[in-house]
Amino acid sequence: MSAEDRPAKVANIFDVARLAGVSHQTVSRVLNDVPGVRPATRQRVEQAIKKLRYTPSPAARALVTRRTRMIGLITPASADFGPSSIAIHFSEAAREARYSVISVASVSGDVGSIRGVVESLLRERVEAVVLIAEDVAQLDVVRALEAGVPIIAVAAGQHRGPLTVSIDQYRGAREAVRHLVELGHRSIASLAGPEVSPDAIERVRGWRDELSEARLVATELSHGDWSAESGFRFGSQLAAGSATAVFVANDQMAIGVMAALRGRGLRIPEDISVVGFDDVPEAAYFVPPLTTVRQDFASLGALTMQQVLIALEEPEAAAESIPIPTRLVVRESTAPPAS
């Protein structure tokens, strides 16, 4: 039998994927007109389908269009109050919308590992992925992925867009520092979170801008790792008399700062005022009770799920979400500076 007489090989979905340079899941999404595929990618797939004369079987099309109603959630490996609260409230919002959540911790926190974590969730046939970002570089990685499903990032700052949600860390930080300025403080140090953290970056920006508006100099800045231990180190090393107040980027570090200051014989707030961020449930019972910035994690969870549903069901209606406001809770750890 000559080559001309042999029946031509019927192309399958994997042939299309190889020719277009995408995954077979992406081909499936193009075939079924599922949102979340970039226009250039869709065009390559359509050209490959035309070139190979590929026709999906009705049975295969029915299979790939079945909804799993599952969402992947990528969280930091740490049990810090903020990310943990976001995960809890998002899972509650997903459950109310009749979706299941597969939660995976990004154990290393390494940017390169995010790609592998996303791929592992895609193998579970999730319809969308939510990333609680702990590193600004993670956002660039996930946005470069052609995952075939929407990826919604929980991240503050300059990375806003239809697939990003956040609490207004910048305004919260400014409100905390403004409170100290209005009390009469003119030398306000700051213990920030990790330099790569989107939330930490925004809180530092708020600290700087509020001081600048008050015509004060931002001099004492250090970075911790969100832990009470790093707060204790900062409080132990803060030069005597260098600041009359400290803006601490989370309540956990504030615990350590306050313990170190008391250990040095300093009184809070008589000698130095301390403001935290988060309003953890224990903040009202610190000694003294902590002035802090409250974040509305329940609203953030609901907003995140809302953006997931829009991305899945009404992508043409996707729009940039407004960051959720914070609220300053004034307690006994702040007071006017000693005369």
Side-chain angles (χ1 to χ4, degrees):
M1 183 184 292
S2 66
E4 290 78 7
D5 295 327
R6 282 197 294 269
K9 177 181 179 291
V10 177
N12 59 39
I13 194 170
F14 297 100
D15 297 324
V16 175
R18 276 192 292 271
L19 182 59
V22 298
S23 68
H24 70 276
Q25 293 97 330
T26 299
V27 176
S28 295
R29 298 187 72 80
V30 171
L31 289 168
N32 293 281
D33 201 27
V34 177
V37 182
R38 294 183 177 186
T41 303
R42 186 179 294 276
Q43 184 178 14
R44 290 207 314 274
V45 171
E46 289 172 345
Q47 289 173 345
I49 289 170
K50 184 177 180 180
K51 184 173 183 178
L52 296 173
R53 298 180 181 178
Y54 170 66
T55 304
S57 69
R61 177 163 289 194
L63 181 64
V64 297
T65 54
R66 269 184 210 152
R67 300 286 300 272
T68 65
R69 301 196 73 83
M70 292 193 300
I71 302 169
L73 173 64
I74 304 174
T75 67
S78 68
D80 291 338
F81 178 75
S84 298
S85 298
I86 295 168
I88 289 169
H89 290 291
F90 170 71
S91 296
E92 289 175 352
R95 192 160 51 246
E96 290 174 3
R98 297 184 296 111
Y99 279 80
S100 298
V101 176
I102 301 175
S103 185
V104 180
S106 178
V107 177
S108 68
D110 178 67
V111 170
S113 72
I114 291 296
R115 184 186 301 270
V117 174
V118 171
E119 290 173 352
S120 72
L121 289 169
L122 294 177
R123 287 193 289 272
E124 300 293 332
R125 297 185 62 216
V126 297
E127 295 186 27
V129 174
V130 172
L131 168 68
I132 301 175
E134 59 180 332
D135 186 328
V136 289
Q138 291 176 344
L139 302 174
D140 297 327
V141 171
V142 297
R143 284 175 178 164
L145 289 176
E146 292 182 355
V149 303
I151 299 180
I152 287 77
V154 181
Q158 309 302 311
H159 301 272
R160 294 215 305 267
L163 298 182
T164 307
V165 295
S166 67
I167 290 176
D168 200 337
Q169 310 293 332
Y170 173 76
R171 296 292 173 191
R174 291 201 63 161
E175 189 176 9
V177 177
R178 187 179 310 123
H179 167 66
L180 294 170
V181 171
E182 289 174 350
L183 285 173
H185 293 278
R186 294 296 176 264
S187 179
I188 303 170
S190 179
L191 174 59
E195 294 181 77
V196 297
S197 162
D199 288 356
I201 291 169
E202 285 302 286
R203 293 171 198 173
V204 169
R205 192 166 71 90
W207 170 73
R208 289 190 188 281
D209 286 357
E210 191 61 34
L211 289 181
S212 176
E213 186 167 300
R215 298 187 177 181
L216 299 175
V217 179
T219 54
E220 290 281 345
L221 172 65
S222 296
H223 290 273
D225 60 8
W226 302 127
S227 70
E229 181 182 358
S230 65
F232 189 87
R233 285 196 301 269
F234 172 84
S236 300
Q237 297 165 4
L238 185 64
S242 63
T244 60
V246 182
F247 168 52
V248 187
N250 79 335
D251 293 349
Q252 199 69 21
M253 291 193 297
I255 295 174
V257 171
M258 293 166 73
L261 294 175
R262 283 197 304 270
R264 295 171 57 183
L266 294 171
R267 299 167 301 162
I268 302 167
E270 291 86 355
D271 297 319
I272 187 165
S273 289
V274 178
V275 178
F277 209 106
D278 282 341
D279 195 25
V280 299
E282 301 82 6
Y285 305 99
F286 290 180
V287 181
L290 181 65
T291 294
T292 185
V293 177
R294 179 175 296 167
Q295 302 197 68
D296 188 348
F297 293 116
S299 292
L300 181 60
L303 176 62
T304 305
M305 189 62 208
Q306 177 184 313
Q307 294 300 99
V308 169
L309 292 174
I310 290 172
L312 289 174
E313 299 171 10
E314 299 179 275
E316 67 282 353
E320 183 175 306
S321 64
I322 299 173
I324 295 170
T326 58
R327 182 165 74 85
L328 181 69
V329 180
V330 178
R331 298 195 180 100
E332 297 170 31
S333 67
T334 53
S339 58

